[in-house]
Amino acid sequence: MRYYPVFLDLEAKTVVIVGGGAEAAQKLRLMAKTPARIVVITPFAERELSTEIDAAGACLISRDFDADDLHGAALVFACGLDEADEALVHAAATERNIQINVVDKQDKCSFLTPSIVDRGSLTIAIGTEGAAPVLGQGIKAHLEAMLPPSIGSLVDKASALRPRVARALDKGSPRRDFWRSFFFGDIRSAFDRDPEAGFEQSVDDALSGDKRETTGSVSLVGAGPGDADLLTLKAQRRLLDADVIVYDRLVGPGVLEYARRDAERIDVGKAPGKLSVSQTRINDILIEHASAGKRVVRLKGGDPYVFGRGGEEQAALVAAGIPVDVVPGITAAVACAAEIRLPLTWRGENRSFTVMTGTAGDGAADHDWAALAKPGAAFSIYMGVRQAGHIQRKLLGAGIAEDTPVVVVENGTRPDQKTAVGTIATLTRTLALGAIKGPAIIYVGLDPARSDVLDAQIETQAAAEERIAS
């Protein structure tokens, strides 16, 4: 380890940035998060740098660098200079034993700037000794996904509580147990739910020795359409915190990799025509585990509120007195269209877009078919493959134009994604030729010529027609 990581106290210290351009603006943004006095020395400050100087309240010296400018400086950055000016700044800093960073010149740096995860009082620095800065940035991105912005506020509360904890609890295990609960257990859960009253009550209970039974919580989390990269940062954090994960069949295989290895996983996926866990039983599972004080994630494909029965589960949890929150996910109608670059709306043509289901609890779903058949209507159908014949007959019977375009996306965003293109008059045949069995989204009234799927699909369907004919 050549570079030893330290955290410098920059209170009442001076940081000098010599040079201009985007590099100087970047260093200024970084230093502006500290209490340092910042001095920028450059003959000309471009607009970006001028904006950052004003925002940071930094001092601008609009002339060429002079060695005496480093008097009293704690750190120096040299940014975007030519070799002669760079050498001048480096020599002046070295002679005065001032730590210097010459951007992109590691051999002229006495310190390096790491990738930083900034959560207020919580700061994480990632360094690769200048060998792999992109790797450091990637690690930073993963850590930022794990740590909610509110974690800094929790650290501030911990700092304020330390004297009280020292008075109330003995050293050793009692204090360690408290802080473990504070950052990773019941107190942290209370903070996430209610950073004020609920959190204060949880702290009071822990410090007073009140061992009352605590109630867990349930998060209804949307896992998106399948691709784990489409999971939201908040969903990732909920998975990482969960003691129990109750998940559906349509959750992408990579999504559960974000969960803790020791979390209990319960599969309650439903498949068409197969024996599956009833919704009542799913509600009971959520209530049982949360009542035992566990943090439960109810993980659903897409979004919990879009044909995910999230509302029913929410109602059951609220009736049982279980704290519940909802983390939205990217729903399939939006994600699948984006995957094939199919616009859902188009100015001057379709100004609205309807999301509907093809299947109801007792079979085919019924809709206002006359409204859907009007010219210019555009809509998507979830769970419509098994009911395609019914949908086709209803729309044609309501007067929809036979050449209304249809685009079908099966297993959207996953490696086994398939697409099919046709018209409402050929819907069932289009599904058969494409070997579409679901899960799939059927788009009606959207122009496939505006997507990137049409040419390839015409070739695929022509081959299928030829195979069937032979």
Side-chain angles (χ1 to χ4, degrees):
M1 183 172 61
R2 176 179 174 183
Y3 294 89
Y4 185 76
V6 295
F7 287 88
L8 296 177
D9 182 0
L10 292 180
E11 184 75 45
K13 300 293 194 306
T14 298
V15 175
V16 177
I17 300 173
V18 184
E23 294 167 336
Q26 178 186 357
K27 299 304 180 186
L28 178 53
R29 278 194 296 271
L30 182 65
M31 289 296 106
K33 296 183 178 184
T34 76
R37 173 179 178 265
I38 306 170
V39 177
V40 180
I41 304 171
T42 181
F44 176 72
E46 300 86 346
R47 176 175 295 184
E48 180 185 8
L49 182 56
S50 294
T51 300
E52 295 296 342
I53 289 171
D54 292 341
C59 173
L60 172 63
I61 300 177
S62 299
R63 58 166 171 76
D64 289 329
F65 171 77
D66 185 275
D68 289 339
D69 292 331
L70 298 188
H71 179 72
L75 296 176
V76 181
F77 291 94
C79 309
L81 302 175
D82 60 31
E83 288 190 10
D85 287 339
E86 194 176 85
L88 180 63
V89 177
H90 183 266
T94 302
E95 289 171 4
R96 291 163 175 76
N97 292 318
I98 300 171
Q99 300 299 313
I100 182 169
N101 178 280
V102 180
V103 175
D104 291 335
K105 299 288 180 63
Q106 187 175 347
D107 60 325
K108 295 183 179 180
C109 293
S110 60
F111 74 95
L112 302 179
T113 53
S115 295
I116 295 174
V117 178
D118 179 12
R119 292 292 187 267
S121 297
L122 174 65
T123 305
I124 302 172
I126 305 110
T128 61
E129 299 198 349
V134 173
L135 173 62
Q137 292 165 9
I139 294 171
K140 170 187 173 180
H142 284 293
L143 290 174
E144 286 183 326
M146 292 167 54
L147 299 171
S150 61
I151 193 70
S153 298
L154 189 65
V155 174
D156 291 339
K157 289 182 179 293
S159 178
L161 272 173
R162 285 198 173 278
R164 182 182 171 191
V165 173
R167 292 192 301 269
L169 300 175
D170 293 334
K171 292 181 179 180
S173 295
R175 288 188 195 175
R176 282 197 303 271
D177 290 345
F178 172 84
W179 290 118
R180 190 176 293 111
S181 175
F182 187 93
F183 288 112
F184 304 108
D186 294 337
I187 300 177
R188 167 67 183 279
S189 296
F191 175 81
D192 289 341
R193 293 194 302 268
D194 181 359
E196 301 303 330
F199 167 77
E200 295 295 341
Q201 183 63 57
S202 183
V203 169
D204 290 345
D205 292 345
L207 293 180
S208 66
D210 188 343
K211 301 299 183 181
R212 73 183 68 177
E213 184 178 347
T214 57
T215 300
S217 62
V218 175
S219 296
L220 306 179
V221 176
D227 183 353
D229 286 344
L230 295 177
L231 198 66
T232 66
L233 299 181
K234 195 169 190 177
Q236 290 181 30
R237 289 195 291 268
R238 288 291 186 271
L239 284 171
L240 194 63
D241 288 341
D243 302 307
V244 179
I245 301 169
V246 182
Y247 65 97
D248 279 348
R249 178 178 67 96
L250 297 181
V251 171
V255 171
L256 288 171
E257 293 300 316
Y258 288 100
R260 295 197 335 250
R261 290 185 179 180
D262 61 337
E264 181 180 355
R265 305 178 186 200
I266 303 173
D267 183 354
V268 295
K270 297 180 174 68
K274 295 183 180 179
L275 187 64
S276 56
V277 182
S278 70
Q279 187 60 53
T280 299
R281 179 55 189 150
I282 294 173
N283 296 346
D284 290 342
I285 291 171
L286 300 177
I287 293 169
E288 287 169 10
H289 286 282
S291 297
K294 295 179 180 179
R295 287 166 292 186
V296 182
V297 161
R298 174 68 174 105
L299 190 62
K300 298 170 171 291
D303 181 272
Y305 283 171
V306 181
F307 306 121
R309 304 185 78 166
E312 298 173 42
E313 292 168 356
Q314 175 181 288
L317 292 164
V318 170
I322 304 296
V324 58
D325 72 311
V326 181
V327 180
I330 300 176
T331 192
V334 174
C336 294
E339 191 71 12
I340 61 171
R341 301 200 300 182
L342 177 68
L344 297 178
T345 60
W346 194 273
R347 187 172 59 174
E349 294 183 19
N350 60 303
R351 296 184 176 88
S352 64
F353 179 75
T354 301
V355 176
M356 54 185 276
T357 178
T359 303
D362 55 353
D366 202 12
H367 298 279
D368 184 350
W369 301 108
L372 294 170
K374 289 181 179 179
F379 51 95
S380 65
I381 307 170
Y382 288 66
M383 298 172 283
V385 173
R386 291 165 63 89
Q387 306 297 338
H390 171 81
I391 293 166
Q392 183 181 38
R393 289 190 298 273
K394 287 291 186 179
L395 287 171
L396 290 171
I400 194 171
E402 292 189 359
D403 61 352
T404 300
V406 167
V407 180
V408 185
V409 182
E410 179 185 72
N411 292 321
T413 78
R414 298 182 184 227
D416 56 347
Q417 173 179 301
K418 289 194 296 186
T419 58
V421 176
T423 67
I424 195 64
T426 66
L427 174 58
T428 53
R429 183 168 180 78
T430 297
L431 295 175
L433 289 174
I436 302 294
K437 295 178 178 157
I441 299 292
I442 301 173
Y443 298 96
V444 180
L446 300 178
D447 186 356
R450 291 181 175 138
S451 73
D452 61 4
V453 73
L454 189 58
D455 290 341
Q457 194 59 47
I458 289 173
E459 294 177 7
T460 300
Q461 291 187 196
E465 293 273 12
E466 184 177 344
R467 185 175 63 253
I468 292 173
S470 61

